[in-house]
Amino acid sequence: MKKEIEQLYDDVYETIESYHRKSHQYVKQFSETPGSLSEEEKEKLERIEFALQAAKDILENMMTPGTTMTIMHQKGSIQIDLNK
């Protein structure tokens, strides 16, 4: 069972990492061609990138009850408090 959980963790992390790289590629591609995205599309892309970064940070850092995690991003930061 332990190996299956480790494999699941690796699979999930690698999938998130892959999508995160892809979102960065889109950001770079569309930043080189101003006006190619609508405001709604830009916002969606920013939300995708932010959510994927947060998911990676959460998976990378073990949180125990009573701890706080701050996830920094160029657009701002979020704080996660894990209650006791």
Side-chain angles (χ1 to χ4, degrees):
M1 186 67 153
K2 272 186 153 183
K3 284 190 181 248
E4 289 89 357
I5 293 172
E6 285 296 319
Q7 185 61 51
L8 177 61
Y9 177 92
D10 291 343
D11 291 347
V12 169
Y13 187 88
E14 289 170 13
T15 300
I16 291 170
E17 176 65 25
S18 172
Y19 280 121
H20 196 225
R21 280 193 307 270
K22 190 174 186 176
S23 73
H24 279 290
Q25 290 171 349
Y26 280 118
V27 167
K28 185 177 184 216
Q29 174 186 346
F30 291 116
S31 68
E32 293 171 355
T33 53
S36 60
L37 291 179
S38 69
E39 286 302 313
E40 181 181 352
E41 290 168 325
K42 285 180 193 174
E43 184 180 314
K44 282 183 179 180
L45 187 54
E46 288 174 0
R47 283 187 277 150
I48 290 168
E49 197 279 326
F50 188 75
L52 292 169
Q53 180 63 52
K56 280 177 39 186
D57 288 349
I58 291 167
L59 283 172
E60 289 172 349
N61 297 285
M62 176 60 75
M63 289 187 69
T64 57
T67 61
T68 300
M69 176 189 297
T70 301
I71 299 172
M72 303 301 291
H73 188 268
Q74 65 192 32
K75 296 284 184 175
S77 65
I78 59 172
Q79 187 169 334
I80 301 168
D81 295 314
L82 194 59
N83 295 329
K84 291 183 179 183

